[in-house]
Amino acid sequence: MPGGDARETARTVTGSLIGADGASGDFPHLAELPARGPGADMIGRTIGLLVEMYGHVEPSGWRVSDRPGRDTRRARSWLGEDLDALEEFTQEYTGPLKVQAVGPWTLAAALELRNGELSLGDPGACRDLAGSLAEGLRDHLADVRRRVPGAQLVLQLDEPSLTSVLRGQIRTASGYRTHRAVDRQVVEAALRDVVAVHDGPVVVHSCAPDVPFALLRRAGAAGVSFDFSLLTERDDEQIGEAAESGIKLFAGVVPGTDGPLSDPAGSVMGVRTLWRRLGLNPGTLSESVVITPACGMAGASPAYARAVLAHCVRAARSLADNPE
């Protein structure tokens, strides 16, 4: 979300996404506010969750540290501030609540080792990172449960670099070559281990093209979040198989940066068309699809971000009321 005011953001999110009776939630979430600077960005925020691993900011990005320094402490402080605000505005709330962290492969493609090379190039470092992330997420989820005891937590793992990791498209520190593609079974196994830390649903998000739906399904994801505008017909088979197996599809149909919004029914027209093309029962749409922004809204104006949250709610209701 845009801006840097945790309380105002929590008020906006809960006001837009919690039903008037306080018990019928549409889908509130713990917001990230990267405009505050390093430590509030998605990589820094997740580094703040790690157990017995720390990071600090270099000109090239986040790098592993021997001990928790200023940047790690700042990340943890901002997360605590965001959790305090969320707790304040979710008193008595019962329903689904989403929290998110960067997944192990996007984290490995962003966090530098002490020599300046990415963790991605060191299989042992990747394993250690995934293990530390899993432990950190256990603690984080337990903290959120204590703060919002009525919530049914949904964990989102942000993996925008996943496809590039699988294809060997992540550049080394020199920029002259790329890291070798990571074996799909290794990728799947690490994701499965991290997914397993949560006893509720886990959604994997990627706003990149060619999301590996089948791999994520095998890794145990209960849902996949993606930019709907990037789909092509070659994704049809994977999406159809995912939907038929019970995977929830988080369809990003509303742009995340300022621009004109169509009418809510128009925003989900493509989803209806896809369902018909796949030969799926229209009556299952409201059970299978969650309507979301295409990606994060940190680059949007606060007014547009508020409008998008309300627009997604109306678009989802339109889809439920008129699936055909």
Side-chain angles (χ1 to χ4, degrees), residues 86-102:
L86 180 73
E87 182 178 1
E88 178 183 350
F89 289 100
T90 51
Q91 295 296 308
E92 310 300 325
Y93 173 67
T94 57
L97 172 68
K98 182 174 75 71
V99 298
Q100 64 229 33
V102 175

Side-chain angles (χ1 to χ4, degrees), residues 265 268-269 271-272 276 282-283 285-286 314-324:
V268 292
M269 189 176 299
V271 178
R272 293 190 183 96
R276 285 196 298 268
L285 263 173
S286 61
R314 291 194 297 268
R317 287 174 181 156
S318 169
L319 199 62
D321 294 341
N322 183 20
E324 300 190 48

